[in-house]
Amino acid sequence: MPEQLRKWSLTSGIVVKHMHYGLRVQVPSGEIGVVDRVDIADGYIEPADWPTVGAVLTVVGGGYAGRQVRLSTRPCHLEEARNRAARGRQAASGAKGDSPNS
């Protein structure tokens, strides 16, 4: 089984199919996840304006529904994921600086 995509982690994905409920997107692990139609953009977007099949997107992991990875391409979710990653890096570098051996 491929390594599971952690919630709020950023990765790339390729749109492999349009469905009535959203996009099917393949991530580097080989998993095919779902971007629900409400998670494609911050506001409503017509299906005709969804990213095309073959488009490479930045996606954020939204956890799993059963064994299926949920994804988002909403700009507000991408920004939140980047902020969480930056805070994690800051905390890790701060923890290293607090060590008596650093």
Side-chain angles (χ1 to χ4, degrees):
M1 178 174 190
E3 181 180 330
Q4 289 195 331
L5 187 64
R6 289 188 335 262
K7 191 167 184 174
W8 293 111
S9 62
L10 290 166
T11 191
S12 62
I14 299 171
V15 178
V16 295
K17 191 169 187 178
H18 284 195
M19 305 296 287
H20 68 280
Y21 52 79
L23 307 172
R24 306 266 300 153
V25 176
Q26 186 172 22
V27 295
S29 69
E31 288 180 283
I32 296 179
V34 172
V35 179
D36 191 276
R37 65 186 313 131
V38 299
D39 289 325
I40 295 172
D42 283 335
Y44 178 76
I45 183 170
E46 292 284 341
D49 296 324
W50 291 355
T52 59
V53 172
V56 177
L57 310 172
T58 300
V59 295
V60 60
Y64 283 77
R67 295 174 63 188
Q68 184 174 64
V69 65
R70 306 299 293 193
L71 304 166
S72 175
T73 60
R74 290 180 70 168
C76 67
H77 291 163
L78 298 174
E79 182 180 353
E80 176 66 19
R82 289 182 182 109
N83 289 339
R84 286 172 180 254
R87 286 192 304 266
R89 285 190 302 273
Q90 281 180 329
S93 67
K96 289 178 188 173
D98 292 340
S99 170
N101 295 331
S102 48

